[in-house]
Amino acid sequence: MSNASLTSLANDLRHACQRVSRRVRFEATAELPPHQVSALWNLQHKTLTPGELAEAERVSAPSMTKTVNCLVEKGLVARADHPDDGRCKVLTLTPAGETVLREVGQVRNDWMAGLLQGLSKEERAVLRQATDLLNQVLEN
Amino acid sequence: MSNASLTSLANDLRHACQRVSRRVRFEATAELPPHQVSALWNLQHKTLTPGELAEAERVSAPSMTKTVNCLVEKGLVARADHPDDGRCKVLTLTPAGETVLREVGQVRNDWMAGLLQGLSKEERAVLRQATDLLNQVLEN
DNA sequence: TATTGTTATACTCTATAACTATA
DNA sequence: TATAGTTATAGAGTATAACAATA
């Protein structure tokens, strides 16, 4: 593949991903602000300290304190003392948090499924392959 | 294709697009805040009124007034009176605005091209097909 | 009277700096 | 002395309500 067509693939694919992302955000509106959903997302299947969560979200520590406060008040996240290091806290998703996250995902995925509704079996197979490729390169 | 695998494709593809989108935003940092870039983007190849731009960005009219003020001060957007309707303004990209937009796109696309660097010819062809499919369904 | 855009005001999310507690 | 987290304060971005100008 030529350099020119790599460039144009990169441009077009980036735009397509951003369009999907943008429309998911706008059309599959959640009951929670995006940054709170995003924070919850990071706590799926694992516990993190506030510092780790701030780093994952590329946000300052004080910002994350506020976000976490809000999520704790809503009962979506539990904040406990760290067993070994008294300076740290440990954040985990509560059952309510898991439920909210599941519901938000559901709305977004329903929207996405609607988008793909009219495609043929072959076209969906192409998208499946592409999805796997994207996830593969995103690991790096 | 079964309903179950459509659902799982929708979920995985949505996540992949959002991951790309997020990493583009985080790693290909622009000199302009995202909402300003997004506003400029809408003015490519066309002129819009502030109201139209607000609607396109799903943002309130006063918010868009502030954003536009900022872009006008930076010399990236020109705001002129509407020729026919005295209530409206007309927004256009200035040459400086076009330059900024081109530069932002360049950085993001370079990042994206880097992501795709290691893929084979066949894998890239799959992504090209998938990109076209995505753009096709996004038209609706 | 309805519409377009702006101004006034308030709320949320963000950041940097200062502070507290622990290592 | 360094690190994790919080509190204090300020700066963007957003929204709703009120206003001015035009249709």
XYZ file of all heavy atoms in Angstrom, chain C residues 5-17:
264
model
P -28.377 34.025 14.115
O -27.445 34.198 12.982
O -28.686 32.669 14.615
O -27.832 34.915 15.309
C -27.548 36.288 15.034
C -27.418 37.042 16.337
O -28.646 36.923 17.068
C -26.322 36.535 17.265
O -25.263 37.489 17.289
C -27.008 36.365 18.614
C -28.333 37.077 18.433
N -29.432 36.531 19.213
C -30.006 35.284 19.088
N -30.993 35.090 19.936
C -31.068 36.269 20.647
C -31.945 36.652 21.698
O -32.856 35.995 22.228
N -31.675 37.949 22.141
C -30.700 38.773 21.629
N -30.585 39.976 22.172
N -29.878 38.428 20.646
C -30.119 37.173 20.209
P -23.975 37.253 18.252
O -22.857 37.979 17.629
O -23.862 35.818 18.559
O -24.375 38.025 19.599
C -24.762 39.388 19.493
C -25.197 39.917 20.848
O -26.385 39.225 21.280
C -24.155 39.742 21.959
O -23.926 41.020 22.533
C -24.816 38.773 22.930
C -26.297 38.983 22.671
N -27.187 37.834 22.942
C -28.132 37.937 23.927
O -28.261 38.927 24.623
N -28.921 36.823 24.091
C -28.860 35.643 23.369
O -29.627 34.719 23.606
C -27.845 35.599 22.352
C -27.679 34.372 21.511
C -27.058 36.687 22.181
P -22.788 41.241 23.663
O -22.236 42.599 23.488
O -21.919 40.055 23.683
O -23.638 41.239 25.032
C -24.548 42.294 25.288
C -25.284 42.042 26.596
O -26.079 40.843 26.488
C -24.378 41.846 27.823
O -24.904 42.644 28.874
C -24.500 40.363 28.123
C -25.909 40.069 27.659
N -26.198 38.665 27.271
C -27.258 38.025 27.868
O -27.961 38.541 28.710
N -27.468 36.735 27.434
C -26.743 36.047 26.492
O -27.045 34.905 26.194
C -25.639 36.775 25.911
C -24.784 36.112 24.885
C -25.421 38.038 26.322
P -24.168 42.726 30.308
O -24.361 44.108 30.801
O -22.799 42.175 30.200
O -25.057 41.735 31.196
C -26.465 41.897 31.252
C -27.052 41.028 32.369
O -27.344 39.706 31.866
C -26.122 40.818 33.577
O -26.918 40.832 34.765
C -25.514 39.447 33.326
C -26.654 38.715 32.623
N -26.228 37.689 31.675
C -25.217 37.775 30.761
N -25.086 36.691 30.015
C -26.089 35.846 30.470
C -26.487 34.548 30.087
N -25.904 33.857 29.115
N -27.527 33.990 30.748
C -28.124 34.688 31.720
N -27.839 35.919 32.171
C -26.805 36.443 31.493
P -26.193 40.702 36.230
O -27.084 41.370 37.185
O -24.764 41.064 36.119
O -26.285 39.132 36.502
C -27.559 38.508 36.509
C -27.411 37.013 36.692
O -26.949 36.405 35.464
C -26.403 36.599 37.781
O -27.113 35.904 38.794
C -25.410 35.688 37.050
C -26.185 35.283 35.807
N -25.359 34.930 34.629
C -25.629 33.756 33.965
O -26.517 32.997 34.304
N -24.823 33.512 32.882
C -23.794 34.310 32.406
O -23.165 33.973 31.429
C -23.557 35.516 33.141
C -22.470 36.442 32.717
C -24.345 35.772 34.208
P -26.335 35.298 40.099
O -27.259 35.474 41.244
O -24.954 35.824 40.179
O -26.276 33.752 39.741
C -27.457 33.111 39.269
C -27.149 31.666 38.918
O -26.461 31.616 37.634
C -26.237 30.955 39.915
O -26.737 29.649 40.145
C -24.891 30.906 39.208
C -25.320 30.797 37.749
N -24.331 31.276 36.786
C -23.614 32.437 36.850
N -22.795 32.608 35.827
C -23.008 31.481 35.044
C -22.448 31.070 33.822
N -21.525 31.756 33.160
N -22.875 29.890 33.320
C -23.796 29.189 33.994
N -24.396 29.487 35.138
C -23.953 30.659 35.619
P -26.111 28.698 41.284
O -27.216 28.247 42.148
O -24.919 29.378 41.856
O -25.618 27.452 40.424
C -26.482 26.893 39.420
C -25.705 25.861 38.612
O -24.874 26.547 37.645
C -24.770 25.005 39.456
O -24.896 23.640 39.066
C -23.392 25.544 39.144
C -23.566 26.040 37.710
N -22.632 27.140 37.335
C -21.935 27.055 36.112
O -22.119 26.069 35.386
N -21.088 28.047 35.763
C -20.916 29.097 36.574
N -20.075 30.046 36.186
C -21.608 29.200 37.819
C -22.449 28.210 38.164
P -24.097 22.505 39.898
O -25.061 21.414 40.148
O -23.325 23.124 41.016
O -23.041 21.998 38.806
C -23.488 21.744 37.481
C -22.292 21.448 36.592
O -21.583 22.671 36.307
C -21.273 20.493 37.221
O -20.962 19.499 36.252
C -20.085 21.375 37.539
C -20.196 22.452 36.469
N -19.601 23.776 36.769
C -18.775 24.345 35.828
O -18.478 23.809 34.770
N -18.286 25.582 36.174
C -18.545 26.288 37.333
O -18.039 27.385 37.510
C -19.421 25.629 38.269
C -19.755 26.304 39.555
C -19.911 24.416 37.943
P -20.014 18.270 36.664
O -20.521 17.081 35.954
O -19.850 18.254 38.139
O -18.610 18.683 36.024
C -18.498 18.788 34.607
C -17.107 19.296 34.254
O -16.965 20.640 34.729
C -15.965 18.487 34.890
O -15.028 18.121 33.876
C -15.371 19.449 35.922
C -15.682 20.803 35.294
N -15.742 21.953 36.246
C -15.072 23.147 35.929
O -14.442 23.224 34.868
N -15.130 24.180 36.797
C -15.815 24.059 37.939
N -15.839 25.113 38.763
C -16.508 22.852 38.274
C -16.442 21.831 37.401
P -13.745 17.242 34.214
O -13.509 16.392 33.029
O -13.931 16.650 35.552
O -12.557 18.308 34.316
C -12.184 19.056 33.170
C -11.291 20.210 33.569
O -12.053 21.130 34.387
C -10.120 19.844 34.465
O -8.994 19.427 33.704
C -9.821 21.170 35.159
C -11.134 21.924 35.104
N -11.716 22.189 36.440
C -11.478 23.414 36.998
O -10.804 24.268 36.464
N -12.060 23.613 38.228
C -12.831 22.711 38.926
O -13.305 23.010 40.019
C -13.030 21.428 38.282
C -13.848 20.376 38.963
C -12.472 21.233 37.083
P -7.634 19.028 34.452
O -6.753 18.412 33.454
O -8.052 18.277 35.644
O -6.992 20.410 34.937
C -6.718 21.447 33.998
C -6.091 22.633 34.721
O -7.084 23.226 35.594
C -4.916 22.221 35.599
O -3.722 22.881 35.230
C -5.303 22.587 37.014
C -6.530 23.447 36.875
N -7.533 23.047 37.873
C -8.196 21.852 37.942
N -9.019 21.763 38.950
C -8.883 22.981 39.608
C -9.484 23.512 40.764
N -10.372 22.849 41.488
N -9.119 24.759 41.128
C -8.214 25.415 40.395
N -7.589 25.022 39.282
C -7.973 23.782 38.942
P -2.331 22.435 35.972
O -1.330 22.485 34.896
O -2.556 21.197 36.725
O -2.025 23.571 37.041
C -2.204 24.948 36.723
C -1.971 25.795 37.967
O -3.111 25.675 38.853
C -0.760 25.392 38.804
O -0.175 26.567 39.350
C -1.346 24.520 39.895
C -2.690 25.214 40.117
N -3.769 24.344 40.627
C -4.550 24.808 41.657
O -4.390 25.885 42.172
N -5.534 23.941 42.053
C -5.813 22.693 41.537
O -6.719 22.015 41.978
C -4.947 22.264 40.452
C -5.154 20.936 39.813
C -3.978 23.099 40.054
P 1.162 26.480 40.296
O 1.978 27.655 39.942
O 1.745 25.123 40.222
O 0.562 26.694 41.758
C -0.296 27.804 41.995
C -0.621 27.883 43.477
O -1.706 26.969 43.777
C 0.537 27.489 44.399
O 0.536 28.346 45.532
C 0.225 26.043 44.763
C -1.304 26.062 44.799
N -1.940 24.785 44.516
C -1.589 23.868 43.567
N -2.364 22.802 43.533
C -3.295 23.046 44.535
C -4.395 22.305 45.006
N -4.745 21.110 44.517
N -5.110 22.835 46.022
C -4.759 24.031 46.506
N -3.745 24.824 46.140
C -3.052 24.263 45.144
